[in-house]
């Protein structure tokens, strides 16, 4: 590979490693991305980095896309190229950044996996709240599933946020937006059982709802670990984590009600397209709805 092509890459990688002190793994990702581009530049007989045009870079991106690289991977590669050209411009080795005008192809929006109703029942009903930790963990899982809270929202809950009379929980979500979420009878019973056990240890001055045995607020990582523990203990093959319970809440609500707008409000999504991604109705359910609702779909016996 010609020096005019490879030397600036080496200088850029040295800058990342020695000046910006990025991790070896991150520098390795930059190296892999830029060497792929360098190979393409060589094949196109481009003499040096100053003459690479946006149109040629688009051809390179299209080539990667045809090879089967995902939109997410190509997006990361474009980010590497943009950073590389910012370095070249800073040191007078290029006048413009051809990657600025190039967009990555859109990534496919993958639906997060969910737990079905039977799996949720097994997880919740088989978690016996006979200890401080088990009672707390069951209340956490019941509230996740009953209200569709985000992990950060649940971890930040304080006792004043829960309205036990009206079965409502007040949370502050993304963008500091407040919303009120209902919770059901099972969650109410689990919360009361947990708070009874908590009070037995005398943590009356701690405002956090969910705490450790030492009286400290339970952190997000600890909540994640506890859900993973119960998933394994109950024999659920797929990993159990907070977002899967939130997604199960949304999926089961949508399947039962068909009211996407209501689910959007309950989840605290600003854009309904986000709700469409995080909730799914299986094709079997859709087929039943279609067969029962569409006048041309209803099966009639020939007479």
């Amino acid at each position: 590979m010609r020096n005019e092509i490879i030397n600036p890459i080496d200088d850029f990688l040295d800058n990342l490693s020695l000046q910006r002190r990025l991790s070896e793994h991150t520098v390795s990702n930059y190296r892999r991305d830029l060497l792929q581009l360098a190979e393409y530049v060589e094949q196109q007989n481009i003499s040096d980095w100053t003459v690479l045009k946006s149109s040629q870079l688009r051809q390179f991106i299209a080539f990667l896309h045809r090879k089967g690289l995902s939109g997410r991977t190509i997006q990361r590669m474009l980010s590497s190229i943009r950073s590389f050209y910012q370095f070249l411009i800073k040191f007078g080795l290029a006048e413009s950044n051809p990657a600025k005008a190039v967009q990555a192809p859109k990534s496919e929006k993958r639906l997060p996996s969910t737990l079905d109703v039977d799996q949720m029942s097994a997880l919740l009903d088989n978690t016996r709240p006979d200890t401080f930790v088990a009672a707390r963990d069951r209340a956490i899982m019941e509230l996740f599933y009953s209200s569709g809270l985000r992990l950060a929202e649940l971890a930040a809950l304080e006792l004043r946020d829960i309205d036990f009379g009206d079965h409502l929980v007040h949370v502050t979500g993304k963008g500091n937006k407040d919303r009120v979420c209902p919770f059901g009878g099972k969650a109410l019973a689990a919360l009361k059982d947990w708070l009874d056990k908590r009070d037995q240890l005398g943590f009356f001055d701690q405002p956090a709802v969910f705490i450790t045995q030492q009286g400290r607020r339970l952190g997000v990582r600890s909540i994640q670990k506890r859900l993973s523990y119960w998933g394994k203990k109950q024999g659920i093959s797929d990993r159990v984590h907070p977002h899967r319970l939130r997604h199960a809440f949304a999926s089961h609500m949508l399947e039962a009600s068909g009211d996407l707008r209501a689910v959007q409000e309950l989840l605290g999504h600003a854009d309904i397209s986000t709700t469409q991604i995080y909730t799914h109705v299986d094709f079997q359910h859709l087929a039943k709805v279609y067969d029962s609702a569409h006048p041309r779909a209803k099966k009639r016996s020939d007479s």
Side-chain angles (χ1 to χ4, degrees):
M1 199 170 287
R2 285 177 287 112
N3 290 339
E4 293 86 350
I5 298 299
I6 198 65
N7 286 348
I9 292 177
D10 290 338
D11 292 341
F12 172 65
L13 297 174
D14 285 344
N15 179 266
L16 295 180
S17 179
L18 301 175
Q19 300 298 321
R20 293 176 57 185
R21 298 186 181 278
L22 299 186
S23 70
E24 187 176 334
H25 175 71
T26 301
V27 174
S28 176
N29 286 339
Y30 275 103
R31 178 181 292 107
R32 182 176 60 251
D33 292 343
L34 293 173
L35 287 180
Q36 281 193 69
L37 176 62
E39 187 177 336
Y40 181 81
V41 164
E42 286 268 299
Q43 291 171 355
Q44 300 300 310
N45 295 318
I46 295 171
S47 57
D48 61 63
W49 295 111
T50 62
V51 297
L52 179 65
K53 299 176 181 177
S54 295
S55 59
Q56 294 169 314
L57 191 53
R58 285 194 191 93
Q59 291 174 2
F60 173 62
I61 295 303
F63 165 73
L64 296 177
H65 193 49
R66 288 194 300 272
K67 279 179 63 178
L69 268 69
S70 69
R72 190 182 298 273
T73 300
I74 294 173
Q75 205 164 32
R76 190 206 66 216
M77 182 172 286
L78 274 171
S79 177
S80 298
I81 297 169
R82 290 188 191 103
S83 296
F84 174 54
Y85 265 92
Q86 286 169 5
F87 169 82
L88 295 179
I89 292 168
K90 181 179 179 180
F91 289 95
L93 302 174
E95 294 182 358
S96 61
N97 191 334
K100 272 190 174 182
V102 180
Q103 296 292 324
K106 288 185 177 180
S107 301
E108 279 188 26
K109 293 178 178 178
R110 293 187 301 172
L111 289 169
S113 58
T114 189
L115 298 167
D116 61 34
V117 175
D118 290 338
Q119 287 175 312
M120 284 305 310
S121 295
L123 178 65
L124 299 173
D125 294 342
N126 295 332
T127 303
R128 296 173 61 90
D130 47 5
T131 65
F132 176 95
V133 170
R136 179 198 65 197
D137 293 352
R138 183 173 181 178
I140 286 172
M141 292 187 288
E142 286 282 6
L143 195 55
F144 267 133
Y145 183 50
S146 191
S147 298
L149 302 184
R150 296 182 178 95
L151 172 59
E153 292 169 349
L154 183 133
L157 277 183
E158 300 198 343
L159 293 170
R160 64 184 180 183
D161 297 325
I162 300 177
D163 183 338
F164 288 95
D166 290 331
H167 298 193
L168 298 172
V169 58
H170 298 254
V171 298
T172 302
K174 289 184 177 180
N176 287 324
K177 292 181 179 178
D178 295 330
R179 75 180 191 283
V180 179
C181 302
F183 58 87
K186 294 276 191 181
L188 176 65
L191 279 168
K192 285 185 173 179
D193 182 61
W194 150 241
L195 293 175
D196 284 345
K197 286 187 171 57
R198 179 190 134 128
D199 288 347
Q200 289 171 16
L201 294 184
F203 296 121
F204 302 111
D205 295 331
Q206 170 57 267
V209 175
F210 298 110
I211 60 175
T212 67
Q213 294 181 84
Q214 291 74 41
R216 295 189 294 270
R217 182 185 295 273
L218 195 66
V220 295
R221 293 296 297 274
S222 296
I223 295 171
Q224 290 170 323
K225 287 179 180 177
R226 295 307 303 165
L227 265 61
S228 178
Y229 165 81
W230 285 110
K232 291 175 183 175
K233 186 176 178 63
Q234 304 303 349
I236 297 175
S237 57
D238 296 328
R239 192 168 70 87
V240 174
H241 53 80
H243 186 70
R244 291 197 73 192
L245 269 61
R246 174 171 159 88
H247 182 42
F249 158 82
S251 298
H252 301 165
M253 282 290 297
L254 186 60
E255 287 175 14
S257 69
D259 193 334
L260 190 63
R261 288 286 180 187
V263 174
Q264 177 192 1
E265 290 295 323
L266 290 168
L267 291 173
H269 286 157
D271 191 334
I272 200 167
S273 64
T274 308
T275 314
Q276 290 168 327
I277 296 167
Y278 282 89
T279 60
H280 81 280
V281 182
D282 60 60
F283 284 110
Q284 207 170 24
H285 179 75
L286 285 174
K288 287 179 181 177
V289 172
Y290 180 82
D291 287 341
S292 64
H294 197 286
R296 291 287 190 179
K298 292 175 182 175
K299 295 176 181 177
R300 296 180 178 86
S301 59
D302 294 329
S303 54

